[in-house]
Amino acid sequence: MPLTLRHSPTSPYVRKVVVAATERGLADRLELKATNPWDPADDLPGDNPLGKVPALKLEDGTVLFDSPVIVRYLDTLHGAAPLFPQDGDRRWWVERTHALADGILDAAVARLIETVRRPKEFYWADWEARQTDKIDRALDLLAPEVDRLASDPPDIAAIAVGCALGYLDFRFANDDWRAGRPGLAQWYTRFAERASMQDTVPKG
Protein backbone atom coordinates (compact mmCIF):
# COMPACT_ATOMS: atom_id res chain seq x y z
CA MET A 1 0.00 0.00 0.00
CA PRO A 2 1.23 3.53 -0.72
CA LEU A 3 2.35 6.03 1.87
CA THR A 4 0.28 9.22 1.70
CA LEU A 5 2.36 12.38 1.67
CA ARG A 6 0.65 15.70 2.29
CA HIS A 7 2.09 17.67 -0.58
CA SER A 8 2.43 21.30 -1.61
CA PRO A 9 4.36 22.01 -4.84
CA THR A 10 6.09 25.06 -3.36
CA SER A 11 7.19 23.57 -0.04
CA PRO A 12 10.95 22.98 0.10
CA TYR A 13 10.45 20.61 3.02
CA VAL A 14 8.13 18.46 0.90
CA ARG A 15 10.65 18.65 -1.92
CA LYS A 16 13.38 17.34 0.37
CA VAL A 17 11.25 14.32 1.23
CA VAL A 18 10.36 13.57 -2.40
CA VAL A 19 13.96 13.98 -3.58
CA ALA A 20 15.17 11.67 -0.81
CA ALA A 21 12.54 9.08 -1.70
CA THR A 22 13.42 9.30 -5.38
CA GLU A 23 17.14 8.96 -4.75
CA ARG A 24 16.52 5.75 -2.79
CA GLY A 25 14.00 4.20 -5.18
CA LEU A 26 10.96 4.86 -2.99
CA ALA A 27 9.11 7.45 -5.05
CA ASP A 28 6.56 4.93 -6.32
CA ARG A 29 5.55 4.22 -2.73
CA LEU A 30 4.46 7.82 -2.17
CA GLU A 31 0.93 8.92 -2.95
CA LEU A 32 0.93 12.72 -3.05
CA LYS A 33 -2.11 14.43 -1.55
CA ALA A 34 -2.46 18.05 -2.63
CA THR A 35 -2.53 20.32 0.41
CA ASN A 36 -2.75 24.07 0.99
CA PRO A 37 -1.49 24.80 4.51
CA TRP A 38 -2.73 28.39 4.23
CA ASP A 39 -6.34 27.39 3.50
CA PRO A 40 -8.33 27.22 6.76
CA ALA A 41 -10.73 24.81 5.07
CA ASP A 42 -7.98 22.30 4.26
CA ASP A 43 -8.16 19.10 6.30
CA LEU A 44 -4.40 19.09 7.00
CA PRO A 45 -4.83 19.64 10.79
CA GLY A 46 -6.54 16.25 10.91
CA ASP A 47 -3.20 14.70 9.97
CA ASN A 48 -0.86 17.23 11.54
CA PRO A 49 -2.23 19.43 14.32
CA LEU A 50 0.60 21.88 13.61
CA GLY A 51 -0.94 22.53 10.20
CA LYS A 52 2.36 22.00 8.38
CA VAL A 53 3.56 19.98 5.41
CA PRO A 54 4.97 17.47 4.90
CA ALA A 55 3.06 14.88 6.87
CA LEU A 56 3.30 11.20 5.98
CA LYS A 57 0.47 8.76 6.69
CA LEU A 58 1.63 5.17 7.04
CA GLU A 59 -0.33 2.05 6.13
CA ASP A 60 -1.55 1.61 9.71
CA GLY A 61 -2.81 5.20 9.88
CA THR A 62 0.10 6.57 11.89
CA VAL A 63 1.10 10.04 10.71
CA LEU A 64 4.72 11.21 10.85
CA PHE A 65 5.81 14.85 10.78
CA ASP A 66 7.79 16.85 9.95
CA SER A 67 10.48 16.43 7.28
CA PRO A 68 13.46 15.35 9.49
CA VAL A 69 11.35 12.54 10.98
CA ILE A 70 9.94 11.52 7.60
CA VAL A 71 13.31 11.22 5.88
CA ARG A 72 14.60 9.15 8.79
CA TYR A 73 11.62 6.84 8.36
CA LEU A 74 12.25 6.56 4.62
CA ASP A 75 15.81 5.56 5.42
CA THR A 76 14.45 2.35 7.01
CA LEU A 77 12.63 1.27 3.85
CA HIS A 78 15.46 0.71 1.37
CA GLY A 79 18.64 -1.31 1.06
CA ALA A 80 20.82 1.31 -0.60
CA ALA A 81 23.41 3.59 0.98
CA PRO A 82 21.86 5.30 4.02
CA LEU A 83 20.65 8.86 3.84
CA PHE A 84 22.09 9.23 7.35
CA PRO A 85 25.56 7.66 7.74
CA GLN A 86 25.84 5.88 11.06
CA ASP A 87 29.54 5.91 11.77
CA GLY A 88 32.41 8.28 12.30
CA ASP A 89 32.81 11.98 11.78
CA ARG A 90 30.76 11.83 8.60
CA ARG A 91 27.64 11.07 10.62
CA TRP A 92 27.85 14.22 12.69
CA TRP A 93 28.82 16.43 9.76
CA VAL A 94 25.78 15.16 7.84
CA GLU A 95 23.48 15.66 10.83
CA ARG A 96 24.77 19.20 11.37
CA THR A 97 24.59 20.11 7.69
CA HIS A 98 21.05 18.77 7.43
CA ALA A 99 20.09 20.98 10.37
CA LEU A 100 21.91 23.94 8.81
CA ALA A 101 20.06 23.53 5.52
CA ASP A 102 16.73 23.29 7.33
CA GLY A 103 17.70 26.45 9.21
CA ILE A 104 18.25 28.23 5.90
CA LEU A 105 14.78 27.15 4.88
CA ASP A 106 13.25 28.26 8.18
CA ALA A 107 14.81 31.71 7.77
CA ALA A 108 13.79 31.94 4.11
CA VAL A 109 10.18 31.02 4.90
CA ALA A 110 10.12 33.55 7.76
CA ARG A 111 11.43 36.18 5.37
CA LEU A 112 8.80 35.26 2.78
CA ILE A 113 6.03 35.58 5.35
CA GLU A 114 7.35 38.97 6.41
CA THR A 115 7.57 40.33 2.87
CA VAL A 116 4.64 38.65 1.13
CA ARG A 117 2.02 37.40 3.56
CA ARG A 118 2.16 39.93 6.38
CA PRO A 119 0.07 43.08 5.83
CA LYS A 120 2.36 45.86 4.63
CA GLU A 121 1.49 48.12 7.54
CA PHE A 122 2.98 45.52 9.90
CA TYR A 123 6.17 44.90 7.92
CA TRP A 124 9.23 44.68 10.20
CA ALA A 125 12.41 45.47 8.27
CA ASP A 126 14.72 44.45 11.11
CA TRP A 127 13.10 41.02 11.23
CA GLU A 128 13.61 40.48 7.51
CA ALA A 129 17.24 41.61 7.85
CA ARG A 130 17.73 39.16 10.71
CA GLN A 131 16.51 36.27 8.56
CA THR A 132 18.69 37.36 5.64
CA ASP A 133 21.74 37.49 7.92
CA LYS A 134 21.03 33.95 9.12
CA ILE A 135 20.95 32.69 5.54
CA ASP A 136 24.15 34.50 4.60
CA ARG A 137 26.04 33.17 7.63
CA ALA A 138 24.89 29.63 6.93
CA LEU A 139 25.95 29.85 3.29
CA ASP A 140 29.33 31.22 4.34
CA LEU A 141 29.80 28.19 6.58
CA LEU A 142 28.80 25.80 3.80
CA ALA A 143 30.91 27.33 1.06
CA PRO A 144 34.36 26.08 2.15
CA GLU A 145 32.91 22.63 2.95
CA VAL A 146 31.30 22.10 -0.44
CA ASP A 147 33.54 19.15 -1.33
CA ARG A 148 31.98 17.21 1.53
CA LEU A 149 28.61 17.40 -0.21
CA ALA A 150 29.86 15.06 -2.92
CA SER A 151 28.39 11.62 -2.22
CA ASP A 152 26.92 9.07 -4.60
CA PRO A 153 24.10 8.51 -4.07
CA PRO A 154 23.61 11.83 -2.27
CA ASP A 155 23.04 11.67 1.45
CA ILE A 156 20.59 13.84 3.35
CA ALA A 157 23.13 16.65 3.72
CA ALA A 158 23.45 17.09 -0.03
CA ILE A 159 19.72 16.69 -0.60
CA ALA A 160 18.80 19.23 2.08
CA VAL A 161 21.37 21.78 0.88
CA GLY A 162 20.25 21.32 -2.73
CA CYS A 163 16.62 21.92 -1.80
CA ALA A 164 17.55 24.95 0.30
CA LEU A 165 19.52 26.58 -2.51
CA GLY A 166 16.73 25.80 -4.95
CA TYR A 167 14.25 27.52 -2.65
CA LEU A 168 16.42 30.64 -2.48
CA ASP A 169 16.41 30.75 -6.28
CA PHE A 170 12.65 30.21 -6.34
CA ARG A 171 11.60 32.78 -3.75
CA PHE A 172 14.46 35.30 -3.80
CA ALA A 173 15.72 35.18 -7.36
CA ASN A 174 16.98 38.78 -7.17
CA ASP A 175 19.37 37.91 -4.35
CA ASP A 176 22.78 36.72 -5.52
CA TRP A 177 23.65 34.00 -3.02
CA ARG A 178 26.28 32.74 -5.51
CA ALA A 179 28.40 35.90 -5.18
CA GLY A 180 31.66 35.03 -3.45
CA ARG A 181 30.73 31.34 -3.26
CA PRO A 182 31.76 29.93 -6.67
CA GLY A 183 32.37 26.40 -5.42
CA LEU A 184 28.94 26.15 -3.84
CA ALA A 185 27.37 27.62 -6.98
CA GLN A 186 29.12 25.09 -9.20
CA TRP A 187 28.12 22.21 -6.96
CA TYR A 188 24.50 23.31 -7.01
CA THR A 189 24.47 23.65 -10.80
CA ARG A 190 25.52 20.02 -11.08
CA PHE A 191 23.22 18.79 -8.32
CA ALA A 192 20.20 20.58 -9.77
CA GLU A 193 20.60 18.53 -12.95
CA ARG A 194 19.75 15.29 -11.14
CA ALA A 195 16.45 13.77 -12.24
CA SER A 196 15.14 13.91 -8.65
CA MET A 197 15.67 17.68 -8.61
CA GLN A 198 14.40 18.30 -12.13
CA ASP A 199 11.19 16.41 -11.36
CA THR A 200 10.51 18.49 -8.24
CA VAL A 201 11.20 22.06 -9.38
CA PRO A 202 8.75 24.21 -7.37
CA LYS A 203 5.85 25.79 -9.21
CA GLY A 204 3.43 28.46 -8.17
Side-chain angles (χ1 to χ4, degrees), residues 7-202:
H7 175 273
S8 170
T10 62
S11 167
Y13 307 99
V14 171
R15 188 184 192 191
K16 180 179 68 173
V17 168
V18 176
V19 170
T22 301
E23 290 289 347
R24 293 306 187 272
L26 300 171
D28 60 350
R29 294 194 60 182
L30 297 182
E31 180 181 88
L32 305 183
K33 182 175 181 180
T35 302
N36 181 357
W38 292 96
D39 182 357
D42 197 286
D43 66 350
L44 173 61
D47 285 332
N48 182 356
L50 301 175
K52 297 167 61 177
V53 292
L56 184 72
K57 180 174 285 189
L58 310 185
E59 290 107 344
D60 65 359
T62 300
V63 181
L64 301 179
F65 46 83
D66 49 6
S67 67
V69 176
I70 294 171
V71 290
R72 283 193 172 279
Y73 175 76
L74 293 178
D75 214 16
T76 70
L77 302 182
H78 65 87
L83 292 164
F84 294 85
Q86 294 301 302
D87 299 312
D89 292 342
R90 179 72 184 178
R91 174 184 180 180
W92 299 114
W93 184 84
V94 166
E95 295 273 10
R96 187 215 69 178
T97 303
H98 180 206
L100 187 69
D102 276 3
I104 291 172
L105 290 179
D106 293 345
V109 170
R111 182 182 172 195
L112 182 74
I113 291 171
E114 191 65 41
T115 56
V116 175
R117 292 199 172 270
R118 191 179 303 282
K120 293 187 184 303
E121 61 269 27
F122 299 123
Y123 169 68
W124 187 5
D126 287 348
W127 182 250
E128 183 190 2
R130 182 179 177 87
Q131 307 314 313
T132 302
D133 287 345
K134 290 179 185 180
I135 294 168
D136 286 339
R137 290 194 301 267
L139 294 175
D140 287 342
L141 179 62
L142 279 173
E145 300 181 355
V146 64
D147 289 346
R148 303 189 72 176
L149 293 172
S151 59
D152 190 22
D155 57 28
I156 197 61
I159 291 168
V161 170
C163 291
L165 298 179
Y167 190 71
L168 296 180
D169 279 350
F170 175 53
R171 289 302 194 191
F172 303 104
N174 292 330
D175 291 359
D176 189 7
W177 64 260
R178 293 167 174 81
R181 307 179 185 105
L184 190 60
Q186 291 168 10
W187 173 85
Y188 177 68
T189 296
R190 294 191 300 271
F191 190 80
E193 293 173 351
R194 299 185 70 88
S196 61
M197 292 290 285
Q198 290 290 312
D199 291 344
T200 55
V201 173

